[in-house]
């Protein structure tokens, strides 16, 4: 049998026979994992931390973040706390749908005008075929078309309702493409597939008193750092990485597709012709104004979201009735909170001091020591503000000598 045809227990046994040591995993958990992916041999767990009070459009949220990076959760809480002191974030969203693309090869006598006349009927037939999506508030909304030489490009806007919608949109596009391919002047279908082009944009704004960020001088520094990120791609990409730290952590916790969002945000950062920071900060009349817009094609149902008990637990924390639009508004707010915390650190103490303090726990976790010794080492590292691996080893030796 091929590897993918083996049950997961036999795959693990095969790896063990090759000298690989795998952590114990009970059969029930292994069976659940096998239903979610391919060639399954184990699982990867991430800690879930909370942002304890994020206020978005007047509503307070507990926000789960799945990440092994403690500084990401700490930064999100810091930024969210400052936002809350200033009334929280204001977010608006454009949620018309997500894009699909169909590309056809046309004959020399192709007439675009005749072709376009078939679109209203095609939308009607497609929505009837996928009536379950229409029943939940979604469906095909619009088709636009352009021709380049013998190629016909169709952009299809589909409302996926509360789902991410990738699989459903692909099924819709394949159905539509088969109908279009029989048009007399169409030679062949080249492809029909979802596009991760930026759509479903969420925009967050905050207004912060300069006192809440440490004074006017600090606010001026934040605005200057933002200005640099808008003109210097080297700074811009690092700024955006800090934003995506928070965004990805919430996406992971809620079972959403980090890869599609990352791809769309990368393009969104270049939408003005040059790569730049996704966020913007400016100082006006002793108020620091922050803005961030992100393409967030998210879902709260469907795919693996409903199948994963860990993800469902996180939705209970967020609020089981949360909509995909509300989730996107939470995510973009977390992105801006992480961004503010990073800019604050750079403008004041520097990014590394706080980062290494939080990373001390990860360093201590790698020590060959018992729990009591690890706690003592961590206390000494914090006391001396020395957060290196060498320091941890030194403190451990000293503790054991003292015994």
């Amino acid at each position: 049998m091929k590897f993918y045809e083996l049950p997961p227990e036999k795959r693990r046994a095969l790896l063990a026979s090759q000298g690989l040591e795998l952590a114990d995993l009970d059969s029930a958990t292994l069976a659940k994992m096998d239903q979610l992916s391919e060639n399954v041999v184990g699982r990867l767990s991430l800690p879930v931390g909370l942002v304890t009070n994020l206020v978005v459009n007047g509503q307070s949220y507990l926000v789960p973040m799945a990440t092994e990076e403690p500084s990401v959760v700490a930064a999100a809480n810091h930024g969210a706390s400052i936002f809350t002191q200033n009334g929280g974030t204001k977010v608006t969203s454009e949620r018309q749908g997500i894009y699909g693309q169909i590309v056809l090869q046309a004959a020399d006598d192709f007439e675009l005008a005749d072709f376009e006349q078939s679109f209203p009927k095609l939308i009607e037939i497609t929505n009837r075929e996928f009536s379950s999506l229409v029943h939940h508030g979604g469906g095909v909304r619009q088709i636009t078309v352009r021709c380049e030489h013998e190629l016909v490009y169709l952009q299809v806007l589909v409302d996926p309702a509360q789902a991410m919608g990738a699989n459903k949109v692909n099924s819709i596009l394949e159905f539509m493409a088969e109908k279009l391919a029989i048009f007399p002047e169409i030679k062949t279908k080249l492809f029909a597939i979802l596009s991760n082009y930026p759509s479903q944009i969420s925009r967050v704004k905050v207004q912060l008193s300069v006192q809440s960020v440490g004074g006017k001088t600090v606010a001026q520094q934040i605005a200057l750092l933002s200005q640099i990120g808008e003109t210097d791609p080297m700074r811009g990409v690092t700024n955006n990485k800090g934003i995506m730290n928070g965004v990805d952590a919430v996406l992971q916790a809620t079972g959403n597709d980090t890869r599609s969002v990352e791809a769309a945000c990368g393009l969104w950062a270049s939408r003005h012709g040059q790569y730049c920071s996704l966020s913007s900060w400016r100082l006006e009349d002793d108020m620091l104004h922050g803005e961030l817009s992100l393409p967030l094609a998210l879902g709260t149902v469907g795919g693996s979201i409903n199948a994963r008990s860990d993800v469902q637990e996180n939705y209970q924390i967020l609020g089981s009735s949360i909509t995909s639009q509300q989730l996107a508004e939470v995510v973009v707010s977390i992105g801006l909170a992480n961004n503010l915390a990073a800019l604050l650190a750079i403008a004041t103490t520097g990014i590394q001091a706080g980062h290494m303090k939080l990373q001390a726990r990860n360093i201590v976790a790698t020590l060959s020591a018992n729990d009591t010794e690890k706690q003592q080492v961590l206390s000494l590292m914090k006391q001396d503000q020395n957060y290196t691996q060498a320091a941890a080893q030194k403190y451990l030796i000293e503790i054991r000598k003292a015994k």
Side-chain angles (χ1 to χ4, degrees):
M1 295 177 71
K2 295 180 179 179
F3 191 77
Y4 75 89
E5 295 174 321
L6 295 172
E9 291 84 356
K10 289 191 175 181
R11 294 186 202 122
R12 287 168 62 86
L14 180 61
L15 294 178
S17 71
Q18 297 172 359
L20 297 175
E21 295 184 12
L22 301 178
D24 291 337
L25 193 62
D26 64 87
S27 297
T29 300
L30 190 57
K32 287 181 180 178
M33 297 300 103
D34 195 48
Q35 293 171 3
L36 293 173
S37 192
E38 182 80 0
N39 283 357
V40 168
V41 296
R43 70 170 178 177
L44 177 67
S45 298
L46 287 173
V48 176
L50 285 185
V51 175
T52 56
N53 186 21
L54 177 74
V55 177
V56 180
N57 291 335
Q59 182 171 345
S60 179
Y61 292 91
L62 287 171
V63 186
M65 303 180 75
T67 176
E68 78 296 344
E69 188 77 43
S71 60
V72 171
V73 182
N77 273 284
H78 188 197
S81 175
I82 295 171
F83 291 171
T84 300
Q85 293 173 37
N86 290 271
T89 67
K90 306 298 180 187
V91 190
T92 58
S93 295
E94 299 172 10
R95 304 286 298 177
Q96 292 92 344
I98 55 180
Y99 296 117
Q101 191 176 34
I102 300 172
V103 177
L104 310 168
Q105 191 171 23
D108 292 338
D109 58 348
F110 176 77
E111 292 290 339
L112 182 59
D114 294 341
F115 191 60
E116 284 184 288
Q117 289 180 4
S118 68
F119 291 173
K121 185 65 175 177
L122 178 60
I123 292 174
E124 180 186 338
I125 293 171
T126 305
N127 283 337
R128 190 162 60 241
E129 177 70 17
F130 294 89
S131 58
S132 62
L133 178 59
V134 175
H135 176 73
H136 286 94
V140 179
R141 296 290 183 247
Q142 185 182 51
I143 304 172
T144 56
V145 63
R146 77 178 196 276
C147 288
E148 291 184 7
H149 307 295
E150 80 279 9
L151 298 181
V152 183
Y153 293 82
L154 293 98
Q155 181 175 287
V156 182
L157 182 65
V158 181
D159 182 348
Q162 296 304 312
M164 281 182 278
N167 290 332
K168 180 66 72 174
V169 170
N170 283 336
S171 296
I172 287 172
L173 295 170
E174 288 286 353
F175 176 83
M176 297 177 76
E178 293 302 321
K179 300 293 183 183
L180 292 167
I182 61 175
F183 198 84
E185 296 157 3
I186 295 297
K187 291 164 65 175
T188 185
K189 176 195 79 174
L190 294 179
F191 63 85
I193 193 170
L194 169 80
S195 171
N196 292 117
Y197 191 84
S199 67
Q200 305 202 57
I201 311 301
S202 293
R203 294 179 171 84
V204 59
K205 295 183 179 183
V206 291
Q207 294 185 38
L208 312 177
S209 68
V210 294
Q211 291 80 11
S212 65
V213 297
K216 189 167 185 176
T217 299
V218 174
Q220 288 171 333
Q221 286 292 101
I222 290 172
L224 179 58
L225 287 168
S226 176
Q227 180 184 336
I228 293 170
E230 291 173 26
T231 56
D232 176 31
M234 183 172 286
R235 171 60 206 149
V237 70
T238 309
N239 184 80
N240 293 343
K241 191 270 182 183
I243 292 169
M244 301 311 293
N245 278 341
V247 169
D248 285 351
V250 183
L251 298 184
Q252 292 271 27
T254 57
N256 274 277
D257 188 345
T258 58
R259 289 85 55 196
S260 67
V261 171
E262 288 275 4
C265 287
L267 180 57
W268 191 244
S270 303
R271 67 190 184 281
H272 298 306
Q274 175 181 313
Y275 188 94
C276 65
S277 293
L278 290 161
S279 64
S280 173
W281 295 89
R282 68 187 188 281
L283 184 62
E284 294 179 2
D285 301 324
D286 288 335
M287 295 294 289
L288 184 63
H289 298 257
E291 297 184 20
L292 172 65
S293 65
L294 295 177
L296 295 168
L298 308 185
T300 56
V301 298
S304 65
I305 292 175
N306 294 347
R308 292 176 56 188
S309 59
D310 54 351
V311 168
Q312 286 302 304
E313 186 175 276
N314 292 332
Y315 277 104
Q316 291 179 40
I317 293 170
L318 267 168
S320 56
S321 62
I322 192 168
T323 65
S324 56
Q325 177 173 323
Q326 288 172 322
L327 177 58
E329 292 168 354
V330 165
V331 169
V332 73
S333 296
I334 288 289
L336 191 62
N338 275 90
N339 182 229
L340 174 64
L343 293 175
L344 265 172
I346 295 170
T348 53
T349 59
I351 203 80
Q352 193 66 356
H355 180 76
M356 288 307 298
K357 183 177 179 180
L358 289 164
Q359 282 297 325
R361 282 175 290 184
N362 290 343
I363 293 171
V364 169
T366 66
L367 294 175
S368 296
N370 60 43
D371 290 343
T372 301
E373 290 172 332
K374 288 179 179 180
Q375 188 59 49
Q376 290 173 326
V377 170
L378 184 59
S379 295
L380 288 169
M381 292 173 77
K382 289 180 178 179
Q383 177 182 304
D384 295 347
Q385 297 186 20
N386 191 345
Y387 305 112
T388 65
Q389 187 77 45
Q393 293 288 353
K394 172 177 169 287
Y395 294 137
L396 180 59
I397 292 169
E398 291 175 355
I399 289 165
R400 288 177 173 174
K401 281 182 178 179
K403 290 181 180 179

